[in-house]
Each structure stands twice: as C-alpha cells, then as structure tokens.
C-alpha cells in the first residue's frame, strides 16, 4: 500500500505534510508530553482531516446510550466516537510498522480504520453483530485498501484465538455509564463488582496475547457511582495490568474539549461541588523490557 496521506497530495503527487510547531512535533507528529492537548489548533486540524474521511462510529450503537463523555470523544453526544488523533499517536508511538494491533473492546470503526491506514494489522472484538457489520461497511466506504478484522463475540472467549499482538490498544466500557446492549456478557450490563472481575480477566487474556517486549495502551477515565463518589477505575485498570504481568510505563492526561460542560458546570458545581470533567487518562503498559519494545517501534 502506498504511503497514507492524511492531508492529501500536491500537484506533483507528493504527500502534503502540514508544518509542525517544532522539531519534536515534526519527528513525533505531536510532542510526546504527559499532557496531550486535544484542544490545541494542531490537534483539531488533524482531527478535522481524519473526520473528513467520513467516520460515523455512532452507527450500530444503541440510541441515547451515553451517560458521560467518551474517553476520547469528539464532543458529548448521545453516543461516543473515539478521537482518531489519539489513535494515530498511540499507534505511531507504541507499535512497530506493519505490526499487529489487538483491541478487546473494539466498539466503533475508528481504531481499526486508522490503524489500517497507518499500515498496521488490526483485530478487534465486539459483542454486537450490528456493530461489527456497521464497522465493516465503514471500512469499505472510507478505506477499502485496508482490511481491519472485527470479530463478533465475548472477548473472554475470542481472545484465545486472537493473533499475537505487537500492540494492545483499547478504550474499555466505563461500567454501566454507556450501556451498549442487554447481553448479560456485556460488561456495561453488569453491576460494579462483576464488572471489575470480568474486566480484569479480559485484561489478563489481552496481556497473554502480547508478544514479549511490547506495549499496551488503554484510554480510560474515572467515573462516579450513584452517590457521586469516584469508582477509582483508573487504579483498577492499572492493577489489572500489573497483576497480568504488564507494568505501568507511561501515564498521560488527555485534555479534551470543554463542549457542553461549559453549560452544565455552574448548576452542577453549585448543587454538589462536582467539578466538570474535561480530561481522560492514557495508560501505557509494557510487557517485558521497555527499551527493546521501544526499539521495535523505530524512530
């Protein structure tokens, strides 16, 4: 496949590359700092370029399923759409060229299509037949030259047959805040304690598919219980990976657009002193030696 051109080609057929803000950004797409600013002009420009391809990850979702903003959403809508720039950075930074990406909580089409456009192989699992079908239609419409693989089933079972991973990358469901289906196997349909137990078993199986000396990245964010207290979901994720043998290597804050939080925050804060959440956590783990894993990812 020829070099993917996010911003198209010029009159001479050369790939158009927007001017980077400095030598660090020029080398790594955006600066690899622990604050990832999705509000910045550069980020928004890349997002618009990706979205112009025609992503519609809300297709296949239950209507009005979202109880909070997605971990890397494009804005607070009835259904969440993963930010393609977050995918681009994670894939470029933590996976080797031509490598295999495994996604145990596939959801919509964005991660699979972006990974494919960047020359990676992608395998993702989702419980819902309608979501898998919608993803396949999206891939054919947006980038027929890439072939992401989506498998319908329970990750608890399908991961046993997943390819060996050069990179595990996902955004898990946030408890029952975004309900995806009524399937009892669906984590979003479980109570908190059952959710955590099943979630950590899936993490264990995901780490088991990782090749030695490779990275994994989960984009997560804490969320509140019925009384308004945080669940400590970020720590549960870290604990699950550490128990499975992949140690926490990087943690970044993804600063997301304010969106409708500006309209909600006054009433929310006056009533309960709850601050409006406009960030998520990007957790990167390493199975094995991080220096060897980094060498595999190249420059």
């Amino acid at each position: 496949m020829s070099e993917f051109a996010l911003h198209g080609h010029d009159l001479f057929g050369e790939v158009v590359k927007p001017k980077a803000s400095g030598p660090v950004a020029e080398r790594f797409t955006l600066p690899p700092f622990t604050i990832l600013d999705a509000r910045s002009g550069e980020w928004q420009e890349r997002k618009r370029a990706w979205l112009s391809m025609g992503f519609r990850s809300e297709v296949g979702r239950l209507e009005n399923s979202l109880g909070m903003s997605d971990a890397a959403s494009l804005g607070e809508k009835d259904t969440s759409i993963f930010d393609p720039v977050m995918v681009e950075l994670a894939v470029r930074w933590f996976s080797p060229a031509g490598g295999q990406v495994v996604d145990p909580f596939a959801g919509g089409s964005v991660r699979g299509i972006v990974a494919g456009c960047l020359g990676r192989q992608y395998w993702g699992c989702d419980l819902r037949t309608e979501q898998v079908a919608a993803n396949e239609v999206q891939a054919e419409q947006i980038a027929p030259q890439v072939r992401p693989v989506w498998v319908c089933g329970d990750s608890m079972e399908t991961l046993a047959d997943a390819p060996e991973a050069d990179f595990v990358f996902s955004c898990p469901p946030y408890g029952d805040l975004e309900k995806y289906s009524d399937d009892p196997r669906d984590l979003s349909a479980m109570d908190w304690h059952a959710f955590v137990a099943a979630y950590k078993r899936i993490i264990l199986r995901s780490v088991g598919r990782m090749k030695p000396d490779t990275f994994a990245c989960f984009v997560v964010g804490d969320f509140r219980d019925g009384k308004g207290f945080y669940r400590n979901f970020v720590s549960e994720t870290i604990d699950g990976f550490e128990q499975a043998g992949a140690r926490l290597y990087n943690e970044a804050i993804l600063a997301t657009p304010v969106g409708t939080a500006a309209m909600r925050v006054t009433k929310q804060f006056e009533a309960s002193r709850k601050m409006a959440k406009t960030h998520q956590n990007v957790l990167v783990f390493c199975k094995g030696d991080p220096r060897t894993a980094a060498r595999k990812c190249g420059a």
Side-chain angles (χ1 to χ4, degrees):
M1 186 174 70
S2 60
E3 182 181 359
F4 174 68
L6 179 60
H7 296 274
H9 297 80
D10 62 21
L11 293 174
F12 303 99
E14 299 295 326
V15 173
V16 174
K17 296 181 179 180
K19 182 176 175 57
S21 60
V24 175
E26 185 175 357
R27 184 170 182 181
F28 301 112
T29 306
L30 289 171
F33 297 148
T34 56
I35 300 294
L36 300 173
D37 187 3
R39 308 167 187 170
S40 72
E42 286 180 275
W43 189 293
Q44 290 295 314
E45 181 183 358
R46 297 193 77 84
K47 179 188 287 187
R48 283 190 293 270
W50 280 110
L51 293 182
S52 68
M53 297 173 66
F55 286 107
R56 295 182 62 226
S57 282
E58 73 277 9
V59 176
R61 299 289 183 91
L62 293 176
E63 291 186 3
N64 301 317
S65 61
L66 190 60
M68 63 171 291
S69 59
D70 181 59
S73 66
L74 305 176
E76 291 172 300
K77 299 182 178 181
D78 288 340
T79 50
S80 56
I81 303 174
F82 202 86
D83 190 324
V85 181
M86 187 65 251
V87 184
E88 180 182 11
L89 296 181
V91 168
R92 287 190 188 278
W93 290 353
F94 300 112
S95 71
Q100 176 69 58
V101 179
V102 168
D103 185 348
F105 304 107
S109 62
V110 175
R111 289 192 291 277
I113 294 174
V114 174
C117 287
L118 297 176
R120 273 63 169 182
Q121 307 300 310
Y122 175 90
W123 180 98
C125 179
D126 195 272
L127 270 174
R128 291 162 298 120
T129 303
E130 63 272 21
Q131 183 67 74
V132 170
N135 291 352
E136 290 173 344
V137 169
Q138 281 272 290
E140 183 62 30
Q141 292 173 341
I142 291 174
Q145 74 278 16
V146 306
R147 289 288 182 268
V149 173
W150 287 282
V151 174
C152 185
D154 185 351
S155 293
M156 207 81 73
E157 301 168 355
T158 59
L159 279 166
D161 298 318
E164 284 192 306
D166 296 292
F167 182 45
V168 167
F169 180 45
S170 201
C171 178
Y174 286 20
D176 59 359
L177 291 185
E178 184 173 2
K179 190 172 182 180
Y180 297 103
S181 75
D182 295 321
D183 191 321
R185 300 172 300 169
D186 191 333
L187 268 66
S188 69
M190 299 179 183
D191 66 37
W192 174 244
H193 296 291
F195 169 89
V196 171
Y199 178 51
K200 289 185 177 180
R201 287 198 297 272
I202 291 172
I203 290 175
L204 177 65
R205 285 162 172 74
S206 299
V207 173
R209 300 311 300 159
M210 294 171 65
K211 296 177 183 177
D213 309 318
T214 51
F215 293 112
C217 177
F218 267 30
V219 180
V220 298
D222 214 346
F223 58 94
R224 301 179 189 273
D225 63 17
K227 295 182 179 180
F229 294 99
Y230 275 122
R231 291 286 196 184
N232 208 16
F233 185 42
V234 176
S235 295
E236 294 287 6
T237 301
I238 295 171
D239 182 64
F241 271 96
E242 295 267 355
Q243 287 189 33
R247 299 189 62 189
L248 182 65
Y249 192 65
N250 286 311
E251 181 176 17
I253 297 299
L254 176 63
T256 53
V258 173
T260 60
M263 295 183 286
R264 294 181 288 104
V265 67
T266 299
K267 183 177 180 180
Q268 174 180 306
F269 194 71
E270 285 180 345
S272 64
R273 285 302 186 265
K274 290 180 183 175
M275 301 169 73
K277 196 165 189 293
T278 58
H279 79 277
Q280 304 298 329
N281 300 74
V282 180
L283 306 175
V284 179
F285 304 89
C286 184
K287 178 181 179 180
D289 177 51
R291 291 187 177 273
T292 303
R295 283 197 294 271
K296 291 181 180 180
C297 297

